[in-house]
Structures are given as C-alpha cells and as structure tokens.
Amino acid sequence: MQFLFLFSGPLKLQLPSIHCSFSSSIHLSIHPSIHPSIHPSIFLQLSAMLSFAALTLRLGSTGCRGGRRNLATVVSGNKTSQLVRERLKEDLDKMRGQFPGFRPGLVVLQVGDRDDSNLYISMKLKAAAEIGINANHVRLPKTATEDEVLRRIVEVNENPEVHGLIVQLPLDSINPMDTEKVTNAVAPEKDVDGLTSINAGKLSRGDLQDCFIPCTPKGCMKLISQTGTSVAGKNAVVIGRSKIVGAPMHDLLLWSHATVTTCHSKTTDLAAQVGRADILVVGAGKAEMVKGEWLKEGAVVIDCGINHIPDNSKDNGMRVVGDVHYPSAKEKAGFITPVPGGVGPMTVAMLMENTVQSAKRFLKTYQPGKWNISYTKLKPQKPQPSDTAIAHSFTPKTIGRLAREVGLFSEEVEHYGTTRAKVRLEALNRLKTQPDGKYLVVTGITPTPLGEGTTTTTLGLAQALGAHLHVNSFACVRQPSQGSNFGVKGGAVGGGYSQVIPMEEVSLHLTSDTQAVMAASSLVVDTINARVLSESTQSDKALFDWLVPLRDGHRKFSLSQLNRLKRLGIEKPETQKPEEIYRFIRLDIDPETKTLSGSVASEMMAVLALSTSLGDMTRRLARMVVAYSRKGKPVTTEDLGISGVLATLMRDAVKPSLMQTMEGTPVFVHTCPLSDIAQGNSSILADQIALKLVGPEGFVVTEAEGGAELGMEKFFDIKCRSSGLHPDVVVMVATVHGLKIHGGGPAVTAGSAMPKEYSAENLTLLENGCSHLKRQLENARAFGLPVIVAINTFSTDTDAELGLVCEQAKLAGALEAVPCSHWAEGGAGAVALGQAVQRAAEIPHQMNFLYDLEMPIDDKIRAIAKSMYGAGDVELLPQAQQKVALFSKQGLGNLPICMAKTHLSLSHDPERKGVPTGFTLPIRDIHANLGAGFLYPLVGTTSVPPQSPAFSCFHDNDFSTESK
C-alpha cells in the first residue's frame, strides 16, 4: 500500500518509533507494509489534515530515526509540462493583443505511417491545439523520394505563416533517405527540433540565446531545475551520444558549468563512471541497463529511455520501461524521473516552447502586411548621364532574393539567369484567399512623337510608394517589342532614374514571350498555306490519311479534331460516310482572308494579355478565327487542328516575367498588345498576381498605353471586364511640351532639333493645350474614379508653366495635380504623387463601364466615338455595315469594342492635335478577334499591323565586343 500526501507548509510528524521533519518541498511516499505496527487509520487521519498536493511523504529521510533510508523523489514531467503550457498560453495572448489574428504555425512532416510516429505526432498536435498553435500534419507516402521530401521542406521553409518545422524521424520510405541531408534542409530559424548542424554548432559554442535547443535535452534541464539542484560545479554523466539527446545534453550541462563525462556502449568502466555522477542523464536506448547499485547516493537521475519489455500482466503483453532499472534506482537516487510520465511530456512541452520562441523572433521584424524588402538608395548625378550609363551604374539584386522578399516561393519562380524570372501561375492559386491591394492605372494625354513618359511615371510612382513611403508596391508594364526599341524613344522600359534593369535584358528578348507569339503566329500562317496546298492537290482519302493517319488498324483523332467533329454533328469518327469525311477534311480556305501576320502585333498577343489562366488561354486560342472559307465561313485554329500546339508554344509565355526597378522594387514585364489595334495593356495575370502579393494595404501600378481615350478606355471596357478587377485611382500623365504641341505648337520631327517654343516659357501656347488635358480628364472621370494628374517635368519647365497646368487640371476635375521629377530623381521625385495617390485611394468610388455589352454594335461604336473622341457622329462604310449585320447574326453583338485608331490624335487624323470636335468618325471595316474576345473596328486609315517606326535608332545600338 502506498499513500501520497501533499503539503502546503512545513510538517512535523511523530509516530511510534518514527520521528520525521519535512518541509513543503518534500514529496512523501509512505509504505505501511514496511512498518506493520502502524495502523492504516493513522494515515487516513493524516490525509484529512493535509491541505493540497505538493509533496510525496516518503518513509525515512535525512534526519529520520528508526527507519530505512529515503526513496527517491519522483520528478514528474506531467505537472511541469502543464505549467509550461499555461505560460505559453499567456505568451500567445500577449502576441494576439499586439498582432490581432496572429498564431504561431507548426508543421510536422512525416514520411510513411509508422504507429509509433503516429502516436508521437498526435501528442504534438494535441499539445499545439491546447496552447493555440496552428499545427498541420503533412504526411508523405512510403513511396516518397528524397527529392520530394526536400521540396516539401523548402515550401514550408518559405511559408511566413509557419514558424516551426519538425521532420518526424525515422523517415519511413522504401526509397533511400539521407537523414542528415533531410534534417539539415530545415531552415535553422524554423528548426524547433534543434537538429540542424547550424543549431547544433551554435549550441556547442555556447550560443544558447541564438539557437534552438533540442527538445529532449531542454526538457531534461527543466526537470533538473525542478529538483532545486544547482548544476554548477557538479559531476554530470551523460550516457548516450546521439545528436538528439546525448551530444546536446553534454553541451547544455557543460555551458551550465557542470563537469561532464559522456559515456556510451564502448565505455569499459560504465558503473564506475555512473557512481561518480551527481547528475545522471541516460539516453542509450537499452532497457534498464543502469542498475540502482551503480548510482551515487542522492544523485539526480533523468531517464530519457523508452523501451518495451515483455509483461504478461499487461493486455498487450508489453510494458514500457526506461534505460534505468527504476525499482533499484529509486532506492538510492535522490531524484528520479519515471517512465512514462517523466521526460516524454517535457519533450513535447519544449517543442511548443521552441515554436513560440520562433514566433517571437519572427515578430521582432514582422510588420503586418509589409514585405521585408531591401531598397537601393539612388545618388542622382548632375548633369544627368544617359539612360544606358545610369542603368549600367547599378547592380540589381538577384531575382531569387527579390522573389523571396515579395513573398514568392522558390517552386513558383523559374529563373532566367540571375536578374529575371518567370512566375508560375501556381502562385495565384496559393494566394487566392489573400485580399487584393489597391489598383492604380496610369494613362496620359494623347502622346506626342517623343512620348509623355507614362511608363517612366508608372515606375517612378512604384519606386516612390515602395522605397520612400514604405508600402508594398508592384509595377506592371508591357514588354517592349524590338520594333519600338529601335525607334526614336530608345530601347529600355522607363528612363533616367526610373527604369527597369538590366535594360538590355528587358528591352530585347527578356524571357522570349514575343518570340513565342511570333512562332505561334507563323505556325498559323504556315499551316493555312499548307492546308490550302494540300486540299488543292490531294484526294479526299489521301487528305484524310494525312490528317488522321491509320496506325495499327485505328485512327487516333486529336482533341481539336474531336471538337471539330462534334461541331459538325459527326458522332462516330471511325465510320464516317464519304460526305462526312469531306465535310471534316475540306476547309476550302480563301487564301486572301488570312487574319494573322507572323508578327508580334497579332491577335496572339492580345489573347496572351487577356487570359486569366493557362486553360483560359488554351480556350481562347482555339476560338481564334484565322481565315474564312470561300463561302464566308470562319476557320478557327481548332478547325486547323493546331490549337493544342499553339498552347504548347505559349505555355511559358503566359507566365509573367519578374524584374526590378533601379531602387529594387518589383516589376512584372508581360505582354505588349498595341493600343492602336488591340487593348494596349499589360497582362491580366501580372496584375492579378501582383495584387495578391502586395496585400490589402499595398499598391499595384499598371500602365495603359496611349491616351486616355484609347488605352485607358480599353483598360476599363475590355481588360476590367475580362479580369473582374476594378481599379481605385487613375493617374494621368501630362508634360508641358506635350500640352504645347496640343495647343498649336509647331510639329515635332523625330531626329530633328526641338523648336524653341518647347524650351522657352510660353503660357499662351500652354493654356491652349490645357484644353486637351481637360478633355482627357473628362474621359478619365467618365469611369467614376478619382483622377490625379502627374506632370512629368523637364528642366526647361518654368514654375509659372507648372503652376498653370496644376491650376487648369484642378479646374477640369482632377483631385490633385502634382509636378514629378522621377526621371531625374527616381522615386524621391514622385513622393508627392505617391502621397496624393494614397489619399485618393481612400475615397469611396464606384467604377462605371462606358457602355452596356447588350447594346447594338454600331451604338457601342458611337458611344466610344462621341464620349471619348468628341466625334459628332460615326459613319459605317458599306463593308463595316455588312460586318455589323454578319456579327449580329452570328451572335457576336455582345462583345466589347476595341477601336483600331491612331494613338496620335483624339480623332482619326494623326495630324489633328488639341481637341477636335464635331467630326465624323469613319469606320471602314470591322474584324472579330474571337480569341481575344472583342470586335475591332478599323477607323480611318489605321493599318493592321501598324507600320514600323519612322525613325530607327539602329546606329545607337551597335554591339561591341570590346571590354568596358
């Protein structure tokens, strides 16, 4: 019989032949069988007198007279671990008070399905749930390879919501596993098990405050401290040298100033070594190897062993024991941990403590919703060097580093060298529950031949928001084509100190998206030519055998061919009748009706920019009408059987390309549809991913090419309809010299000297040009959003001129007008613009579309012409009238309109600057871009595709092999 008594204060006990004095720190266990003269009723009376459990009364202690020596004090891990858990709950309450909604994250990664591992994991998950830690169990099958395990570890390492990662050992896989390699793959700052070489090295050096201590040794130290024993100066013996228990236990005791001896299976005088130990920690994994008679009297014994030995009295025939023979050891030790119930609960508690500790370290640098990103400090030079010289004076950070800074995982980034990368669309799926950030669209007045700087302003504003106002900011710009690169405006994206770098990489091939589009377009053209030739020279049987070869007695139809058969109403492809075969194989294409060129300005680029996923792009490519039959029936890429291969050619091009500005802010450079014949905006996917990455307090700055009446109108009525995204603010870019041109100034010729009117103050000319700014502001405000005017300044601008533009802009309805010097100063020159944008984004607004999709085709065209261009009316020429009737009959009347108009004037005449009004807008034809999903009327003499730049800069882009 054993009685357990707990005391709240000192106790003096006098019994026949026994006189014991005990303090409240003694845990007493009395065995009446040793003294049969003591009646059990005495113990019952005593128990009624005791206040609550704190100690166990044990027969005989130092100072006891007339009995056997003490039994060891049992050091229970259950009670101590519960105290630890209560303290951790309090810590988490404080964290949530400072960071509402924050929870430490823990992942337990398991390979296989071992029963013992499952038991340990369930204990860990239960403890985490009790404390308030968000714990997840990731289980990989026994068939998992080492590479799969390592990839999963990298995913967890990069997840900011996870602060602790445990790899459950052993790794139960049928494939070879390097345990050392796997455990070392865990990021040291998340290694709450303390098993990586980095944490072990720090522990061995004594850097206890800068590492994670393995959970079992850490728990052992807590239990030793519970005994009241001072470790300093004591002789400590550790049996076992494993990396999980023995080796780190040695280091912990050593740095706590004990004299430590490590023993193991090869130690010859083990009993003698144990006999000298004031503190003994055993973790050898051998059942009951340490005998009681080995122990030094009063020693502290910490038993880390978990072993199973036969025991017929147990239901399962097994009993759990430690590495110490408990019955004999408790007779000699001063303190001893039981098995189970000793070290085990403390190991789990220390795991939780390490996880909370990791979360605390994370919160020291954590700012809710903010990236942990580094920015480059600019030092603008005067006089300002060339764009090329400026770009070459900066060394961009590696693209992998930038990707990590903005919250992308390595598995989501495909590197193209060290400074550019593709971002996989899986990132968008991972972030789908993340709220979007603020959405800004940058447009401008109708551009003049030298450009107004919408791209430079887009980049400068993103730099100002990120590097100077310290909010997450992302710029999304179009990729320049080589044709425009070698035009008068130069070859980079942006200019001065607001550029994308490296400038050569972004301006030339980048990640080969334009090459993929050109290859796909050329494939369509070549396939049409080949099909026309084949149909004119081959019999039905030969053509059928060519299109669907007979192999092993069967014909295998491609997916696109099966879809064509379905549209034709042919249900049994293997048994077509001759007339069915004829209908299937004969497209009867009119060669004069090909709608694609082999250039980057084809519908392919518009499709790429408007796609919202790889699947969406594939479906859009299949719908593309690329020619017409001699009877006027549309021929799609699916009819040609090439829609699948087009998607294959463009499957990488659909991923946005990640680069950076000169100040280290992120940029997506993706797609380049032109505003005069297409929608003129960067891709939807770039905007969508960027909006998720910046978070709800961040900003995405995207650019709409051309003037507000063109690129911006298409941004709202086409791009926003496809994406479902609604912007918050419009930024309109204007320049003094551009407004002077619209005010009636002399023509500007590329490559010629600038007329003096643009370098000298001329308020009259400028005020006349402000009427054009007023018109474009009306266009922007028609969509229901606040508009900020950004005046892209030049050194020749005077204060009076800038003041006049600001005044006129506000009178015309701009919320604010801000002069900006981002070309000369980078983000610092656009800080005021960034602050104005932040204020504008807080204003409640409701975005409008310009027209309803259900309106008739000609009415939609008329709405755009009158509202955006200032036309008095439109004139649909006979061919355009025929197309309106045809498309309406085909059910295409509800598509949005993409006007193919010159970008150099509000009207259809590029020479008419300012604010032309009352003109009749001629529509000579209408085409259907069914893949892109819009109808595009051809206005006036607009060419499709547009002509190459009138002034080429080939001589400015010579390549030299000379070292620099």
Side-chain angles (χ1 to χ4, degrees):
M1 180 182 297
Q2 181 174 351
F3 292 85
L4 303 180
F5 300 102
L6 300 174
F7 297 77
S8 60
L11 172 69
K12 289 188 177 181
L13 177 63
Q14 289 186 336
L15 293 173
S17 73
I18 302 176
H19 179 239
C20 302
S21 295
F22 307 99
S23 71
S24 60
S25 63
I26 298 176
H27 193 196
L28 249 279
S29 176
I30 297 181
H31 298 263
S33 59
I34 299 175
H35 290 272
S37 63
I38 302 176
H39 196 276
S41 63
I42 296 177
F43 298 107
L44 296 177
Q45 294 173 30
L46 284 171
S47 65
M49 298 169 58
L50 302 179
S51 58
F52 62 87
L55 310 170
T56 300
L57 183 61
R58 53 186 179 152
L59 180 62
S61 80
T62 304
C64 282
R65 298 189 299 271
R68 294 182 55 182
R69 69 162 307 280
N70 296 352
L71 295 177
T73 298
V74 177
V75 185
S76 172
N78 290 317
K79 182 179 178 181
T80 306
S81 65
Q82 189 57 42
L83 293 173
V84 171
R85 295 182 189 189
E86 293 299 327
R87 175 172 52 79
L88 294 178
K89 288 180 184 179
E90 294 175 2
D91 289 348
L92 293 190
D93 287 340
K94 292 178 182 178
M95 288 183 192
R96 285 189 288 267
Q98 186 178 2
F99 301 98
F102 178 82
R103 290 179 70 189
L106 174 66
V107 168
V108 183
L109 178 62
Q110 178 186 12
V111 179
D113 192 30
R114 285 174 58 113
D115 290 338
D116 54 351
S117 292
N118 292 335
L119 175 61
Y120 299 147
I121 291 171
S122 67
M123 293 169 57
K124 296 169 184 176
L125 298 179
K126 181 179 178 182
E130 177 188 336
I131 293 169
I133 294 172
N134 182 26
N136 289 289
H137 180 196
V138 176
R139 186 184 313 212
L140 300 180
K142 293 184 69 170
T143 56
T145 64
E146 185 177 273
D147 284 344
E148 290 172 336
V149 175
L150 293 173
R151 282 198 298 271
R152 190 59 66 93
I153 290 174
V154 170
E155 289 177 14
V156 179
N157 284 344
E158 296 174 346
N159 188 345
E161 296 181 357
V162 178
H163 310 98
L165 170 57
I166 304 165
V167 177
Q168 185 67 42
L169 301 178
L171 300 167
D172 183 25
S173 175
I174 62 174
N175 297 303
M177 292 275 177
D178 184 338
T179 301
E180 184 82 2
K181 182 177 181 181
V182 169
T183 54
N184 275 322
V186 177
E189 66 272 16
K190 297 188 179 185
D191 174 30
V192 290
D193 256 343
L195 299 183
T196 63
S197 297
I198 290 177
N199 277 317
K202 289 181 177 180
L203 174 58
S204 69
R205 294 197 308 265
D207 299 333
L208 274 61
Q209 302 305 314
D210 190 33
C211 70
F212 284 113
I213 298 170
C215 301
T216 297
K218 188 175 183 181
C220 292
M221 293 300 291
K222 293 277 188 181
L223 292 172
I224 292 171
S225 69
Q226 290 298 305
T227 69
T229 302
S230 174
V231 176
K234 297 294 192 299
N235 287 322
V237 172
V238 178
I239 302 179
R241 50 185 172 177
S242 73
K243 296 177 181 178
I244 297 175
V245 179
M249 193 71 233
H250 172 279
D251 294 336
L252 279 175
L253 289 165
L254 182 66
W255 294 113
S256 296
H257 311 297
T259 301
V260 188
T261 303
T262 297
C263 299
H264 44 78
S265 59
K266 303 299 183 182
T267 302
T268 55
D269 57 345
L270 184 57
Q273 295 288 352
V274 170
R276 288 191 288 269
D278 301 306
I279 299 171
L280 175 67
V281 181
V282 188
K286 186 175 180 181
E288 300 182 326
M289 66 173 291
V290 176
K291 310 305 179 184
E293 56 268 27
W294 295 3
L295 301 177
K296 181 179 181 179
E297 280 205 22
V300 176
V301 179
I302 307 295
D303 190 351
C304 303
I306 297 288
N307 307 283
H308 296 81
I309 63 173
D311 188 338
N312 293 331
S313 67
K314 302 295 183 181
D315 292 340
N316 63 356
M318 301 296 289
R319 176 163 53 93
V320 177
V321 298
D323 289 356
V324 177
H325 186 260
Y326 187 81
S328 62
K330 70 180 180 180
E331 298 284 346
K332 200 169 183 183
F335 299 89
I336 190 169
T337 57
V339 177
V343 174
M346 288 303 298
T347 298
V348 176
M350 293 302 99
L351 174 61
M352 301 302 117
E353 185 173 84
N354 281 353
T355 303
V356 173
Q357 181 184 353
S358 177
K360 288 179 179 178
R361 292 175 180 173
F362 171 78
L363 289 177
K364 287 182 179 179
T365 58
Y366 171 69
Q367 298 181 64
K370 295 288 185 69
W371 294 331
N372 185 13
I373 184 172
S374 61
Y375 298 109
T376 302
K377 188 172 180 60
L378 300 182
K379 294 180 180 179
Q381 299 180 35
K382 292 183 180 181
Q384 187 161 324
S386 67
D387 288 355
T388 302
I390 292 173
H392 288 172
S393 68
F394 287 87
T395 301
K397 53 190 168 187
T398 64
I399 202 64
R401 176 182 172 185
L402 177 65
R404 289 191 300 273
E405 289 177 339
V406 301
L408 288 165
F409 295 174
S410 19
E411 286 289 321
E412 297 165 346
V413 179
E414 298 173 357
H415 293 251
Y416 283 66
T418 60
T419 55
R420 50 191 161 143
K422 282 285 192 183
V423 175
R424 301 179 67 180
L425 304 189
E426 286 83 348
L428 186 58
N429 185 59
R430 173 177 64 85
L431 298 166
K432 61 184 177 183
T433 60
Q434 165 88 326
D436 287 345
K438 305 292 194 304
Y439 195 24
L440 315 178
V441 57
V442 178
T443 184
I445 62 173
T446 298
T448 58
L450 296 180
E452 309 314 303
T454 54
T455 305
T456 306
T457 303
T458 299
L459 298 170
L461 176 54
Q463 290 181 153
L465 289 166
H468 300 271
L469 297 175
H470 306 293
V471 296
N472 299 345
S473 70
F474 226 116
C476 295
V477 298
R478 298 178 315 129
Q479 178 183 349
S481 64
Q482 278 126 17
S484 63
N485 290 344
F486 295 113
V488 69
K489 291 194 293 181
V493 171
Y497 288 96
S498 295
Q499 298 186 53
V500 180
I501 55 173
M503 66 176 300
E504 291 88 356
E505 292 183 6
V506 70
S507 297
L508 299 177
H509 301 292
L510 191 57
T511 49
S512 301
D513 293 352
T514 57
Q515 286 72 22
V517 169
M518 292 174 68
S521 300
S522 296
L523 176 62
V524 173
V525 174
D526 292 343
T527 303
I528 291 173
N529 293 338
R531 189 63 173 265
V532 170
L533 177 63
S534 297
E535 288 190 25
S536 66
T537 59
Q538 295 188 39
S539 66
D540 288 357
K541 182 180 183 308
L543 189 57
F544 188 46
D545 288 341
W546 176 60
L547 291 173
V548 194
L550 189 64
R551 293 172 181 164
D552 298 326
H554 297 280
R555 298 185 189 275
K556 184 177 180 180
F557 290 79
S558 68
L559 179 61
S560 59
Q561 289 174 331
L562 291 172
N563 288 337
R564 173 169 167 76
L565 289 169
K566 184 177 181 180
R567 290 199 306 273
L568 293 173
I570 301 172
E571 297 181 358
K572 297 181 179 180
E574 291 281 358
T575 59
Q576 294 105 334
K577 300 175 182 178
E579 62 272 20
E580 291 178 339
I581 292 177
Y582 178 86
R583 289 168 55 210
F584 171 68
I585 63 173
R586 298 288 175 181
L587 300 177
D588 194 26
I589 296 173
D590 181 352
E592 300 300 320
T593 63
K594 291 183 291 187
T595 63
L596 278 185
S597 68
S599 76
V600 72
S602 71
E603 184 185 358
M604 295 280 186
M605 186 61 79
V607 165
L608 188 65
L610 290 172
S611 296
T612 57
S613 66
L614 180 59
D616 182 39
M617 183 189 73
T618 302
R619 291 185 290 273
R620 287 175 179 270
L621 291 173
R623 293 198 303 264
M624 283 179 54
V625 174
V626 293
Y628 289 86
S629 72
R630 297 182 190 278
K631 294 181 180 180
K633 293 183 178 180
V635 177
T636 66
T637 63
E638 194 166 65
D639 291 326
L640 288 169
I642 59 171
S643 57
V645 71
L646 293 178
T648 301
L649 280 171
M650 295 174 61
R651 66 179 182 178
D652 288 328
V654 78
K655 306 166 190 172
S657 298
L658 178 65
M659 295 192 74
Q660 62 195 281
T661 66
M662 305 198 71
E663 296 190 59
T665 60
V667 183
F668 275 138
V669 184
H670 198 213
T671 73
C672 55
L674 303 178
S675 63
D676 46 3
I677 64 166
Q679 70 271 28
N681 289 268
S682 62
S683 76
I684 287 175
L685 281 167
D687 290 358
Q688 287 178 327
I689 296 174
L691 283 166
K692 295 297 182 185
L693 288 171
V694 298
E697 302 304 317
F699 285 82
V700 170
V701 189
T702 193
E703 176 194 12
E705 185 201 20
E709 92 288 355
L710 205 61
M712 186 201 68
E713 183 273 320
K714 295 173 181 180
F715 171 84
F716 285 107
D717 286 322
I718 298 176
K719 183 177 178 180
C720 288
R721 276 191 164 108
S722 292
S723 69
L725 300 173
H726 289 188
D728 299 284
V729 181
V730 176
V731 176
M732 177 167 291
V733 181
T735 59
V736 168
H737 70 243
L739 292 174
K740 286 181 178 179
I741 291 176
H742 285 292
V748 175
T749 304
S752 300
M754 185 80 73
K756 64 179 181 179
E757 286 82 355
Y758 303 113
S759 57
E761 184 177 287
N762 190 324
L763 297 180
T764 302
L765 198 60
L766 180 59
E767 187 169 8
N768 291 338
C770 284
S771 61
H772 177 84
L773 175 61
K774 177 183 177 182
R775 176 70 208 186
Q776 291 289 37
L777 280 169
E778 291 172 355
N779 288 343
R781 295 180 65 211
F783 295 93
L785 303 182
V787 184
I788 304 293
V789 170
I791 308 170
N792 186 14
T793 62
F794 290 79
S795 59
T796 55
D797 300 341
T798 68
D799 291 342
E801 288 175 329
L802 295 175
L804 176 62
V805 176
C806 288
E807 177 186 2
Q808 293 295 312
K810 291 178 182 178
L811 289 173
L815 187 65
E816 295 187 52
V818 184
C820 306
S821 55
H822 43 273
W823 181 79
E825 299 179 76
V831 168
L833 175 61
Q835 292 169 333
V837 162
Q838 287 180 302
R839 291 189 290 268
E842 299 303 320
I843 298 175
H845 58 272
Q846 179 65 48
M847 195 198 87
N848 309 314
F849 293 116
L850 189 62
Y851 53 80
D852 192 304
L853 289 178
E854 301 305 316
M855 290 171 59
I857 296 172
D858 53 344
D859 285 350
K860 286 186 281 193
I861 295 173
R862 190 169 286 104
I864 296 172
K866 289 186 173 182
S867 299
M868 294 286 109
Y869 311 156
D873 200 358
V874 298
E875 178 188 9
L876 271 68
L877 300 180
Q879 192 169 0
Q881 294 177 20
Q882 294 173 11
K883 291 295 182 63
V884 168
L886 174 63
F887 295 149
S888 299
K889 182 179 179 181
Q890 292 176 340
L892 304 178
N894 62 348
L895 292 177
I897 301 299
C898 183
M899 302 286 272
K901 179 188 80 71
T902 179
H903 63 294
L904 297 176
S905 171
L906 285 169
S907 74
H908 57 286
D909 181 357
E911 302 302 321
R912 295 185 68 176
K913 306 299 180 182
V915 189
T917 58
F919 57 90
T920 298
L921 191 75
I923 309 297
R924 61 184 175 88
D925 198 0
I926 304 176
H927 292 179
N929 275 4
L930 299 187
F934 54 67
L935 303 176
Y936 70 101
L938 302 183
V939 179
T941 59
T942 301
S943 60
V944 183
Q947 297 176 351
S948 298
F951 182 84
S952 293
C953 296
F954 303 138
H955 58 276
D956 292 331
N957 290 275
D958 284 344
F959 178 75
S960 174
T961 58
E962 295 179 6
S963 60
K964 297 181 181 180

